[in-house]
Amino acid sequence: MTLGRIGWADSHARKRVGDLNTFNTLLLEPLQQDLIKDTWLFERYDANGTQIRTSYYFEYPSLVTMMLTEIRYGIDVTLSTVKVDPFPVTDFTFSFGSLAVQYSQESVEIHLHAQGTTSVTKMISIYGLPANTSYDLHPNDCTAAKEVFVTCAGGVLSFSYEIHTACPIVLSKSVL
């Protein structure tokens, strides 16, 4: 990988085709090992994997952060959507600034604060859950009543949610 941008695009491609082995062994793990060993990386790698050019460059540390957030944990927050699509599907806890996600197939909790005193409605999509399974959206300070949503045959739970300041999205598998 000679440029961080190529590694970022390659990571997305590996997730798209389900190539976890290459994502882990050739993309993410070598960069993580270099970061642990050197902290600050150089601007580029040559064909032999040797760091070259400008030292103390931001691109590869940033790339590792993006690979973990966007690919490994599959967290994508836009102006109108929140998507959680981990690769591979496994339990995790992620926290960065005002965003926090706890994910398992039993329950999902998302903390995402709206700015100021206004609320924002977003489409929430959570992937990797059991197919055709009911999940309860638990009431909190911002939700008056419990709602129940069902995953599709592909294991995706999608619903619209009004995000308020300090009101988490808390889902758990329905108990029959």
Side-chain angles (χ1 to χ4, degrees):
M1 179 173 21
T2 60
L3 297 169
R5 296 174 293 272
I6 293 170
W8 176 82
D10 195 1
S11 295
H12 278 274
R14 298 299 169 178
K15 182 174 184 175
R16 181 74 181 229
V17 299
D19 187 357
L20 180 62
N21 184 55
T22 300
F23 171 72
N24 282 333
T25 60
L26 296 181
L27 299 172
L28 182 60
E29 291 170 2
L31 291 173
Q32 287 177 311
Q33 291 168 3
D34 282 352
L35 272 175
I36 290 168
K37 184 179 76 176
D38 297 330
T39 304
W40 286 100
L41 304 182
F42 284 71
E43 182 181 3
R44 302 279 184 264
Y45 285 85
D46 66 15
N48 298 318
T50 304
Q51 295 182 49
I52 59 171
R53 294 187 47 173
T54 309
S55 59
Y56 306 107
Y57 203 69
F58 71 92
E59 190 169 24
Y60 285 102
S62 299
L63 174 61
V64 170
T65 301
M66 292 185 326
M67 290 167 92
L68 289 170
T69 304
E70 297 173 14
I71 308 300
R72 170 71 73 224
Y73 303 120
I75 299 170
D76 185 19
V77 179
T78 70
L79 293 174
S80 60
T81 65
V82 175
K83 178 179 167 183
V84 179
D85 184 11
F87 180 65
V89 173
T90 186
D91 297 357
F92 70 85
T93 299
F94 176 91
S95 181
F96 188 78
S98 64
L99 172 64
V101 178
Q102 289 182 303
Y103 175 96
S104 75
Q105 292 194 338
E106 296 298 316
S107 65
V108 178
E109 188 168 329
I110 302 171
H111 295 261
L112 179 69
H113 302 290
Q115 297 298 318
T117 58
T118 61
S119 63
V120 177
T121 300
K122 293 186 184 269
M123 185 60 159
I124 311 297
S125 298
I126 303 167
Y127 292 69
L129 301 173
N132 306 311
T133 303
S134 297
Y135 282 83
D136 298 330
L137 176 63
H138 295 279
N140 56 40
D141 293 340
C142 306
T143 305
K146 179 177 89 171
E147 295 182 62
V148 178
F149 300 102
V150 179
T151 60
C152 70
V156 180
L157 186 65
S158 294
F159 59 95
S160 183
Y161 187 79
E162 189 173 352
I163 296 174
H164 299 269
T165 303
C167 290
I169 300 164
V170 181
L171 298 153
S172 63
K173 195 183 281 186
S174 298
V175 178
L176 300 175

